[in-house]
Amino acid sequence: MSDQERIKQAVLSAIERTEFAQVLAEAIGELPGQEERSGTGTGTGTGTGATLLLNRIVLGDILDDSILGARPQDRTFPLRLLFSELGTLLAHDGHVGELAFTLASGLNFFFRAAMDGEAKMRVGLEVSRQLYTLAHDAKLDAEVVAKAAPLLATIMTSELERVRFESIDHTKVYDSQIHERTATSDMQSARILRPASFLCRVQANNAVKAKAQVVT
């Protein structure tokens, strides 16, 4: 098993023990009963448990009003759009819905679970990879993602002590000192087609802790 797979297994194991996972299991178990009581049998999942669950999944109980209530002219509006889109994609079946749920679960684990600094950084990087995977596969508006990513990196950095996340969405040229190509990249090209993860730096001296993955 590769190091990446071991990290993922550790993350999944930890998620299973969190309050978020318990709420998820309870809400999912509640839905069939709600359908039977309503007599509709539609499976829309509009009951109170599902509504509260969705609110928690998209961090509605964590994000402050400057994000949740942001207007088009506000700096944080792209982040509101991103989380709104995430909430919509969670209802999708198939690949995109699975990606959205994985991202939402990763964000919840990052913000809610107690872990040491190194583990939190690694989880955060995996979350950023999932963000860009979802953005690409779901064909999210590239401009919205590029504006929302730095805001999300800043919020996630507030949970870290010695390192910080940076988005590299507006960087167009590959730099081996701060970038790492993905396996599907053109290894000869210096043109960045899209980011694939956040950059992580040490706050004290600005040194690169983890390079940003990019697709060239």
Side-chain angles (χ1 to χ4, degrees):
M1 182 182 294
S2 66
D3 289 342
Q4 185 176 11
E5 286 300 317
R6 279 194 288 270
I7 291 172
K8 289 181 179 179
Q9 289 299 324
V11 168
L12 290 173
S13 176
I15 287 177
E16 290 174 352
R17 297 192 297 271
T18 64
E19 177 190 1
F20 168 69
Q22 295 169 12
V23 172
L24 174 62
E26 291 170 2
I28 290 176
E30 178 181 319
L31 294 182
Q34 289 176 339
E35 292 169 11
E36 292 172 4
R37 288 192 296 273
S38 67
T40 61
T42 60
T44 55
T46 56
T48 302
T51 301
L52 292 175
L53 172 63
L54 180 59
N55 184 60
R56 286 174 64 87
I57 286 178
V58 297
L59 306 181
D61 59 330
I62 291 180
L63 301 175
D64 61 36
D65 291 338
S66 67
I67 296 172
L68 296 177
R71 298 182 177 183
Q73 67 270 23
D74 295 336
R75 182 182 65 88
T76 55
F77 187 66
L79 198 53
R80 177 185 175 182
L81 290 179
L82 178 64
F83 278 100
S84 176
E85 187 67 23
L86 177 59
T88 300
L89 293 175
L90 283 167
H92 285 212
D93 292 328
H95 177 65
V96 169
E98 291 175 359
L99 289 177
F101 184 76
T102 301
L103 173 58
S105 299
L107 284 166
N108 274 272
F109 183 54
F110 179 83
F111 283 106
R112 299 185 195 278
M115 65 191 97
D116 63 47
E118 182 71 15
K120 203 170 194 71
M121 180 203 71
R122 296 297 174 187
V123 170
L125 289 175
E126 290 299 326
V127 167
S128 72
R129 291 188 185 98
Q130 192 65 24
L131 166 66
Y132 290 117
T133 298
L134 176 64
H136 178 259
D137 289 12
K139 296 180 173 58
L140 300 184
D141 188 304
E143 184 177 356
V144 170
V145 175
K147 291 180 178 179
L151 300 172
L152 182 59
T154 298
I155 293 175
M156 293 175 69
T157 294
S158 68
E159 297 288 315
L160 304 171
E161 295 182 356
R162 297 181 177 84
V163 298
R164 71 173 184 274
F165 291 141
E166 296 178 5
S167 72
I168 52 95
D169 291 71
H170 300 287
T171 305
K172 301 302 181 185
V173 179
Y174 177 81
D175 181 347
S176 61
Q177 292 186 334
I178 59 175
H179 301 144
E180 181 178 74
R181 291 183 176 92
T182 62
T184 58
S185 292
D186 178 352
M187 300 301 175
Q188 306 304 316
S189 176
R191 177 172 173 260
I192 295 177
L193 299 178
R194 64 180 186 273
S197 77
F198 288 158
L199 172 69
C200 183
R201 291 186 184 273
V202 178
Q203 295 202 36
N205 56 16
N206 217 36
V208 174
K209 176 71 171 177
K211 295 180 179 180
Q213 290 195 333
V214 297
V215 178
T216 60

